[in-house]
Amino acid sequence: MSRQVKCGSVLIGGGAPISIQSMTNTDTRDACATAAQIHALADAGCDIVRCAIPDLQAAEAIRTIKQQLQNRGVSIPIVADIHFDYRLAIAAIENGADKIRINPGNIGGIDRVSAVVTKARAAKIPIRIGVNSGSLEKDLIEEFGRTPDALAQSALRWTEKIQKMGFADIVISVKSSDVRETVTVGRALSRATDCPLHLGVTEAGVGERALIKSAVGIGALLLDGIGDTIRVSLTGDPINEVAAARSILSGVGLLPGAIDIISCPTCGRCRVDLPRITAEVAAKTAVLEKARIESGIRDILTVAIMGCAVNGPGEAAHADLGVACGDGRAVFFRKGKIEENVSETEIISLILREISQC
Ligand code: SF4
């Protein structure tokens, strides 16, 4: 198990629930717009949010953003994303950043990394070491090429250097836009370190393919028991990243409080409008799932919506709640027992009522 670090009020690693991260795409210097987007991300289920800090004004805006979030009653840790200029990391910490993300390879040398570490230690905040192939050390490129091994070695080398400074609150990320590389690096890191790992397929793109790339890369590692916090990287509105991250966690059974809908693809045997029923239940279930998660329910609720008697009774009986449909009707199961026989028009309200009582 990875060791645990604390980012604001969120625990990362050490058996804590996998946290969901996203990144704002507002101009961080526009504190109002950034606070509004962070509020929306928090409402969508984001646990930790990262903001780009390209200059001193952006670093200083963190203080105003946090104040605005507090005024809105929103509590969510903010990570300052720093490249090139270590002074921005220091300014971000002075302005209340809950975590710093640096790429030590592009920050200007060990002394500057050390200055950031000293400041983070004093502020009791963690550092995420994020390396990428663009800033790999020459000797690693010579030994390994621009490969997953070189990326892993670079991250581990920096981790060791920072640990030797007496600083242990480190999260590591080595992301790639290539799914195989992402998985290979994640596995290599998990064998070599107990630092918590931040997972993601970076620059995954847009649309369905981006979602599937992210699900495959992140999901493969999570199923191996690797990873402590995730970010799905999608071009566009970051709210979509949070929904995708939740779906990935739900898909691998790691979203506490999730409502997992099991429904058949339908075929020529189906005698109800199962696609409409399932779509409506899924849409209305999203609100119920959010309420379960926010109220601290940890059990995953399985709901089967099945089209006929071939696989229907088995799946419905196996789920917490289930319907096995027939010709314009359905048999309803609760915890494996048949409870009711209802008409097609009653199926949706019955399932939603039962979910809300669980
Ligand atoms: S459960 Fe019935 S309707 Fe659904 S796919 Fe299987 S055989 Fe077809």
Side-chain angles (χ1 to χ4, degrees), residues 264-267 269-270 306-308 310-312:
C264 78
T266 77
C267 70
R269 296 183 186 89
C270 190
M306 300 295 293
C308 81
V310 173
N311 295 324

Side-chain angles (χ1 to χ4, degrees), residues 127-147:
I127 294 176
R128 165 151 76 100
I129 298 172
V131 307
N132 61 42
S133 59
S135 54
L136 273 176
E137 296 88 333
K138 268 188 188 161
D139 64 312
L140 291 175
I141 296 172
E142 279 164 20
E143 186 175 349
F144 299 102
R146 290 191 186 276
T147 61

Side-chain angles (χ1 to χ4, degrees), residues 30-185:
D30 183 344
C32 288
T34 303
Q37 191 173 63
I38 292 172
H39 190 169
L41 286 165
D43 276 354
C46 185
D47 299 306
I48 298 170
V49 70
R50 183 161 47 117
C51 299
I53 307 296
D55 58 26
L56 188 59
Q57 205 185 331
E60 289 171 349
I62 293 175
R63 186 175 299 280
T64 314
I65 292 165
K66 291 191 79 163
Q67 185 60 56
Q68 291 198 10
L69 289 170
Q70 195 179 335
N71 295 345
R72 289 165 175 258
V74 177
S75 170
I76 181 169
I78 295 182
V79 183
D81 188 74
I82 310 291
H83 287 279
F84 310 126
D85 189 345
Y86 79 106
R87 292 169 301 184
L88 297 178
I90 289 171
I93 296 170
E94 286 172 347
N95 282 282
D98 297 291
K99 182 176 161 198
I100 295 291
R101 185 265 168 159
I102 56 169
N103 177 350
N106 74 15
I107 212 98
I110 190 74
D111 290 349
R112 292 176 175 188
V113 172
S114 175
V116 175
V117 168
T118 301
K119 198 78 184 176
R121 183 192 297 113
K124 296 188 171 58
I125 64 166
I127 294 176
R128 165 151 76 100
I129 298 172
V131 307
N132 61 42
S133 59
S135 54
L136 273 176
E137 296 88 333
K138 268 188 188 161
D139 64 312
L140 291 175
I141 296 172
E142 279 164 20
E143 186 175 349
F144 299 102
R146 290 191 186 276
T147 61
D149 279 341
L151 286 164
Q153 289 304 318
S154 177
L156 292 168
R157 182 183 279 185
W158 278 110
T159 300
E160 198 178 327
K161 283 178 185 170
I162 291 175
Q163 285 172 334
K164 279 186 179 157
M165 296 172 192
F167 188 87
D169 292 338
I170 299 167
V171 179
I172 302 176
S173 70
V174 180
K175 300 184 190 173
S176 167
S177 56
D178 181 284
V179 172
R180 282 177 185 273
E181 268 191 23
T182 300
V183 173
T184 304
V185 174

Side-chain angles (χ1 to χ4, degrees), residues 29 31 44 57 62 85 105 182 207 211 215 249 252 263 267-268 275 280 290:
R29 295 169 297 189
Q57 205 185 331
I62 293 175
D85 189 345
T182 300
L211 292 173
L249 290 179
V252 295
S263 62
C267 70
E280 197 167 329
K290 189 165 180 277

